[in-house]
Amino acid sequence: MSNLSLHRSHLAARVRAYYPSSESKTTSGESFDDLLGLVGVDYTYFLDENWFATFETAGAVSGGVGGYAELLAGLGYRFPLTNDDRLALLPALTIGGAGGGAVETGGGFVARANLGLEYRLSPDLSMIMDSGYLSAPDGN
């Protein structure tokens, strides 16, 4: 079976919440301090045993910013924490475009640093929780 790929990939539903900083503003200059909830999908492709490329898209479902969406891509590394490979850290850096819904992202360029924790429930099913920081360098 020479046509089988040796690389791993996964497709996952993604639920994310952003807590705006105290300096965050809407496009009209008003303070933006509502919790922003997003749902989307994430595709991850492993380049080797540990390095992976990730692609993510999501849209706002709460926070009063209907129309906000983001499309991000980046690189990460899977760092196993246990000998049985069930627990791992997942640091990743992503960049891309985001905007709409009166969220002031400047020209739309955003960058995010994440640190995730993965627990493998089985060889084909994992649960991942992560936390990070999203920045719009030209926005508020």
Side-chain angles (χ1 to χ4, degrees), residues 8-25:
R8 302 181 328 245
S9 66
H10 70 254
L11 184 65
R14 177 69 82 163
V15 177
R16 189 175 298 283
Y18 290 144
Y19 299 89
S21 68
S22 59
E23 298 86 29
S24 296
K25 304 283 184 205

Side-chain angles (χ1 to χ4, degrees), residues 46-101:
F46 278 82
L47 305 169
D48 65 15
E49 188 65 26
N50 298 97
W51 286 99
F52 61 87
T54 185
F55 307 92
E56 180 181 339
T57 184
V61 294
S62 66
V65 292
Y68 174 82
E70 56 188 29
L71 179 62
L72 306 168
L75 289 173
Y77 188 83
R78 185 177 186 279
F79 184 77
L81 296 175
T82 58
N83 289 337
D84 64 2
D85 199 31
R86 291 184 78 131
L87 193 62
L89 284 178
L90 304 169
L93 296 173
T94 55
I95 61 171

